[in-house]
Amino acid sequence: MRNGPTFPLSALRNTGLHALPLMVGVAVICMLWACAKMGSPDGGWFDEEPPRILGSTPEDKGVNVKSNKITIFFNEYIKIDNPTEKVVVSPPQMEMPEIEGMGKRITVELMDTLKKNTTYTIDFSDAISDNNEGNPLGNYTFSFSTGDHIDTMEVAGYVVEAETLEPIKGILVGLYANMADSIFRKEPMLRVSRTDSRGHFVIKGVAQGSYRIYALQDADGDYVFNQKSEMIAFNHDTITTSCKPDIRQDTIWSDSLHISTIERVPYTHFLPDELLLRAFTEINTDRYLVKNERKTAGKFEIFFSYGDSILPVLRGLNFDEKDAFVVEYTENKDTISYWIRDSLLINQDSLNVELTYNATDSMGQLVSKTDTLMILSKEPYEKRMKQQEKEFNDWKKKQAKAEKRGDPVEKEMKRPQLEPKYTLNSEMDPDKNIFITMPVPIEKPDTSKIHLYSKHDSLWYKAPMLFREAANQPRTYELLAEWRPDVEYSLEIDSAAFCDIYGRVSNALKKGFKVRSTDSYSTLLVNVIGAKNKHIVAQLISGKDKVTKETVTDNGVIEFFYVMPGTYYIRMFYDDNKNGKWDTGNFDENLQPEMVFFYPDKVECKEKWDITLSWDTMKQNPDRMKPEAIKQQKADQQKTIKRRNLERAAKLGIEYVKDNMTK
């Protein structure tokens, strides 16, 4: 048995080495072979050829097809990624198709009965790739017809989340030929597609005609909008399919940074191709009791699915509820908080209550309902007593050590103090106020113990102010004053100005601060074209959708004053009902969500700068509704094998040319 490779003598003769000893000839050939491979990186280059389709049964774009089983053959071993999500069949199938990749073929079996005279499309998107390198086949769609012709029209566009304009990945988009508004709730979509990571969709195999288009985040797989929790988008405009010959430009890259050529490629341009759907979730107005929760001994909460103008009536079954609580609630009254006043009741681990509230019945009407609830504390009395005992013992040990060292000793353990939270720094903006948030409800604050002073010509004077409860912010108070730029202030609050419902009082506070000079800021004005009759709420955003300033206008001019230097983005919406907040849509009421817009570019603000911009919201492209820098939903990185080879060659300092490597 001979080990290693064998070389025919004819190979040696062709090299001109036949006169040399055999071993020397073999060594020379090995050296020549090694030189020929110089420049190739360790491990070789990636295969950059995607799998190639050899054929199928039935054939692609075949007509008069009777079989509901499709087999597609490839020239190499393939794999199919996440077919249940990526592969979309039109018309939509009520029973999930069986899709399987085996070796060099893919089989798709449609479980529904085939419809007569219908074009079927199986959109594989980018799910198919070769088994070794993962070369994607690309956006591949297989189609066939049960009739005598294939429908070839296409409809394309984008779906974004209506409030944030984030692209929505994976939402269904479908067409109806029936123009009735109610069809979306009654029948499955006629033809469907699914959006990619950019929110982009293409519905293929469409017959020439007119349609309405909808988007649906289908929760139950029936292709019908029948649950309020399902995100939807609708547009009552009629769209009509068409096509025209067109030219596109394809960029050919010489390497990862440089363009080789730009080719003009003729293609069929299907229209419409830039539809925009703004998807939203309706407010679920069905009201029912969700849960109760008592995380701390002194407070419990009742959660409802939706609010009601009438608060629930609570009756204690193992305690007297009269004057037992301080009640708080959220703005829409869907969460009710009960702060327990009495320490004896706080120490009671189980509170049994009878709760009477309004709930939605099967007819969608609010009716009175009564439930009996057991509200259990997650901080049992015994556990809290052990914790208090431990804290007392730790305090005694600390005092014993202090006495041993000869340090001052406390005669008794300090009672807990009320510790308000102040939103106050050493510098302040002229258009901001001071907020004070309490950890627990307080009795009426003693405003005679709250003092504000301003400094003028080195002398301190008492400054006028207003102290009030902050709107829709439980346990939060607001201190307002005429804050003058470049002026120093001192906020002085006496001890016991605030006393909570348990008798704990606040400590004294003295805090000096200065209002920044107007030279520290920029002013930003934005003229919104065509919006003079619109009530606009505009927001200045820094970072990832963090709102730093908000303003309203009715004249089409957005004004931001006292803008700190930095990079910002602008978001605005048409506040149609003038309630100061963005409102979602409602399908049955034919109500679209309030329109949201992002200024297409970032805005740089600098000290002492006055910036004026013009904004035409109607000129924004559907694929660029929100600046890329602040998008949360990023487009998937389609990293091709060729690009991997280019990057690898760049690291080795060589030029990559397919089938011809040079230094």
Side-chain angles (χ1 to χ4, degrees):
M1 179 73 66
R2 185 178 297 173
N3 295 326
T6 60
F7 296 88
L9 289 177
S10 59
L12 294 178
R13 294 189 187 98
N14 292 337
T15 61
L17 300 175
H18 56 278
L20 296 176
L22 180 61
M23 292 303 294
V24 175
V26 171
V28 170
I29 286 179
C30 290
M31 291 176 62
L32 291 173
W33 181 82
C35 291
K37 294 295 288 182
M38 185 175 294
S40 292
D42 293 339
W45 298 97
F46 295 104
D47 169 27
E48 63 183 49
E49 291 294 330
R52 189 161 39 87
I53 297 170
L54 299 179
S56 65
T57 57
E59 64 177 335
D60 192 7
K61 296 180 176 57
V63 296
N64 298 315
V65 173
K66 306 300 180 184
S67 174
N68 61 352
K69 185 173 183 179
I70 299 96
T71 305
I72 306 171
F73 302 95
F74 297 86
N75 67 327
E76 59 181 314
Y77 291 99
I78 54 89
K79 58 185 176 182
I80 183 165
D81 178 42
N82 201 3
T84 57
E85 289 189 11
K86 287 192 172 184
V87 181
V88 180
V89 179
S90 278
Q93 305 293 289
M94 295 301 102
E95 189 173 350
M96 184 68 68
E98 292 185 0
I99 304 171
E100 188 176 11
M102 297 180 299
K104 298 182 180 181
R105 67 182 178 181
I106 289 175
T107 60
V108 179
E109 185 169 2
L110 305 180
M111 310 308 292
D112 292 2
T113 303
L114 295 180
K115 298 178 180 180
K116 294 181 179 180
N117 300 316
T118 301
T119 294
Y120 281 78
T121 58
I122 306 172
D123 188 351
F124 290 93
S125 182
D126 60 350
I128 302 173
S129 59
D130 68 43
N131 194 55
N132 294 324
E133 301 291 2
N135 291 303
L137 177 60
N139 293 320
Y140 172 59
T141 300
F142 181 92
S143 62
F144 66 90
S145 175
T146 57
D148 58 5
H149 71 280
I150 285 277
D151 296 322
T152 59
M153 291 293 172
E154 297 180 4
V155 173
Y158 297 84
V159 183
V160 297
E161 204 278 323
E163 183 177 10
T164 64
L165 299 192
E166 285 286 330
I168 299 178
K169 180 180 179 180
I171 193 170
L172 285 172
V173 186
L175 299 176
Y176 286 98
N178 189 325
M179 302 298 174
D181 294 344
S182 59
I183 195 68
F184 192 30
R185 287 192 175 277
K186 293 181 178 180
E187 295 182 11
M189 297 170 171
L190 184 66
R191 305 207 66 81
V192 296
S193 177
R194 200 182 294 274
T195 55
D196 62 16
S197 59
R198 299 174 298 140
H200 185 250
F201 67 89
V202 181
I203 305 174
K204 300 179 179 180
V206 181
Q208 173 67 47
S210 297
Y211 302 90
R212 279 187 176 175
I213 189 166
Y214 299 81
L216 173 67
Q217 209 163 51
D218 197 10
D220 50 11
D222 62 357
Y223 300 90
V224 173
F225 173 46
N226 55 16
Q227 299 183 32
K228 286 188 176 181
S229 61
E230 293 176 325
M231 180 178 285
I232 63 168
F234 67 95
N235 188 335
H236 290 325
D237 294 339
T238 300
I239 62 173
T240 301
T241 57
S242 65
C243 64
K244 63 178 182 178
D246 210 337
I247 300 291
R248 69 165 178 260
Q249 293 183 337
D250 282 0
T251 302
I252 308 300
W253 295 84
S254 59
D255 55 42
S256 58
L257 298 176
H258 302 93
I259 295 174
S260 173
T261 57
I262 298 178
E263 297 181 352
R264 292 170 58 82
V265 180
Y267 75 105
T268 301
H269 189 160
F270 294 99
L271 297 169
D273 65 340
E274 287 197 338
L275 296 171
L276 177 66
L277 294 172
R278 301 174 186 252
F280 62 93
T281 303
E282 292 185 354
I283 294 176
N284 187 357
T285 56
D286 293 341
R287 191 170 197 261
Y288 53 88
L289 178 64
V290 177
K291 65 176 180 177
N292 70 79
E293 196 169 57
R294 189 181 175 190
K295 290 183 178 180
T296 62
K299 174 189 175 183
F300 66 88
E301 295 173 296
I302 307 291
F303 298 89
F304 293 92
S305 61
Y306 190 70
D308 184 55
S309 59
I310 302 174
L311 292 177
V313 176
L314 185 147
R315 185 171 71 88
L317 300 179
N318 61 347
F319 66 94
D320 184 4
E321 77 281 356
K322 186 178 180 181
D323 298 325
F325 309 110
V326 173
V327 182
E328 293 177 352
Y329 44 84
T330 54
E331 183 179 359
N332 57 1
K333 298 182 180 178
D334 59 353
T335 302
I336 318 296
S337 300
Y338 296 85
W339 291 87
I340 305 173
R341 286 181 174 273
D342 189 350
S343 59
L344 293 177
L345 198 57
I346 291 174
N347 293 334
Q348 191 169 319
D349 289 342
S350 176
L351 301 177
N352 299 327
V353 304
E354 181 185 84
L355 193 71
T356 301
Y357 59 95
N358 286 334
T360 306
D361 65 8
S362 59
M363 302 298 293
Q365 302 297 317
L366 284 177
V367 296
S368 181
K369 184 178 181 181
T370 299
D371 286 334
T372 300
L373 308 177
M374 179 181 289
I375 302 173
L376 300 175
S377 174
K378 292 186 178 180
E379 292 182 344
Y381 174 75
E382 183 178 352
K383 181 180 179 180
R384 287 185 288 113
M385 290 303 100
K386 287 182 179 179
Q387 180 62 28
Q388 290 181 15
E389 183 179 359
K390 180 180 180 301
E391 291 174 357
F392 180 72
N393 290 334
D394 290 344
W395 174 79
K396 286 200 301 183
K397 290 178 182 178
K398 183 179 178 181
Q399 300 312 306
K401 290 180 180 179
E403 185 177 15
K404 189 174 181 180
R405 293 193 305 266
D407 296 338
V409 177
E410 298 174 357
K411 293 183 179 180
E412 59 181 23
M413 189 174 177
K414 289 183 179 179
R415 292 182 60 191
Q417 296 292 113
L418 175 64
E419 297 181 356
K421 181 181 178 181
Y422 299 88
T423 58
L424 181 59
N425 298 315
S426 58
E427 289 188 308
M428 181 174 166
D429 296 329
D431 59 343
K432 298 290 179 66
N433 289 314
I434 299 171
F435 288 88
I436 306 172
T437 303
M438 306 296 170
V440 297
I442 64 171
E443 305 294 352
K444 187 176 181 180
D446 188 349
T447 55
S448 67
K449 295 183 177 182
I450 304 173
H451 316 281
L452 181 67
Y453 301 96
S454 58
K455 186 178 182 181
H456 303 278
D457 299 328
S458 73
L459 297 176
W460 290 94
Y461 298 90
K462 192 165 186 177
M465 66 168 190
L466 174 64
F467 188 83
R468 67 183 184 187
E469 291 188 44
N472 301 318
Q473 299 181 63
R475 290 171 281 109
T476 301
Y477 298 83
E478 184 179 16
L479 193 152
L480 301 86
E482 185 183 355
W483 308 113
R484 298 185 177 181
D486 217 17
V487 172
E488 292 184 53
Y489 290 84
S490 177
L491 176 62
E492 299 178 15
I493 300 178
D494 302 336
S495 60
F498 309 115
C499 178
D500 69 18
I501 58 176
Y502 307 119
R504 297 177 299 188
V505 297
S506 59
N507 290 322
L509 172 81
K510 184 175 181 179
K511 175 72 175 180
F513 59 96
K514 185 177 182 179
V515 177
R516 293 186 181 92
S517 168
T518 53
D519 289 343
S520 304
Y521 302 98
S522 176
T523 299
L524 175 59
L525 304 179
V526 184
N527 295 304
V528 183
I529 298 173
K532 287 187 177 180
N533 297 322
K534 295 285 189 178
H535 184 70
I536 294 174
V537 175
Q539 298 167 331
L540 202 60
I541 293 172
S542 64
K544 298 293 184 182
D545 278 359
K546 181 181 178 181
V547 178
T548 59
K549 283 188 178 295
E550 183 173 290
T551 186
V552 297
T553 181
D554 290 298
N555 61 8
V557 180
I558 300 171
E559 299 175 327
F560 291 112
F561 299 104
Y562 304 117
V563 179
M564 290 294 293
T567 301
Y568 298 94
Y569 299 87
I570 306 171
R571 173 184 183 265
M572 74 169 212
F573 64 89
Y574 292 149
D575 187 14
D576 298 327
N577 58 5
K578 299 185 179 181
N579 66 349
K581 62 181 181 180
W582 179 85
D583 291 294
T584 189
N586 186 285
F587 178 75
D588 292 332
E589 297 177 10
N590 194 24
L591 181 66
Q592 291 286 348
E594 291 178 333
M595 297 282 286
V596 176
F597 304 92
F598 277 87
Y599 187 72
D601 302 312
K602 64 183 179 182
V603 180
E604 297 286 350
C605 293
K606 298 182 179 181
E607 291 182 354
K608 302 180 183 180
W609 275 30
D610 291 336
I611 303 171
T612 301
L613 302 174
S614 182
W615 185 5
D616 188 348
T617 58
M618 303 308 295
K619 288 188 176 181
Q620 288 180 269
N621 294 327
D623 61 333
R624 291 190 291 275
M625 297 301 294
K626 187 174 186 179
E628 196 67 35
I630 56 175
K631 277 184 184 177
Q632 304 296 318
Q633 170 62 50
K634 300 293 186 181
D636 292 341
Q637 296 296 319
Q638 301 296 332
K639 194 176 182 72
T640 65
I641 301 301
K642 183 175 182 180
R643 183 58 55 88
R644 288 163 61 186
N645 283 333
L646 289 169
E647 291 175 355
R648 194 170 187 181
K651 289 180 180 178
L652 294 169
I654 59 179
E655 181 183 357
Y656 174 72
V657 180
K658 187 178 177 183
D659 299 328
N660 181 22
M661 292 304 305
T662 58
K663 286 187 179 181

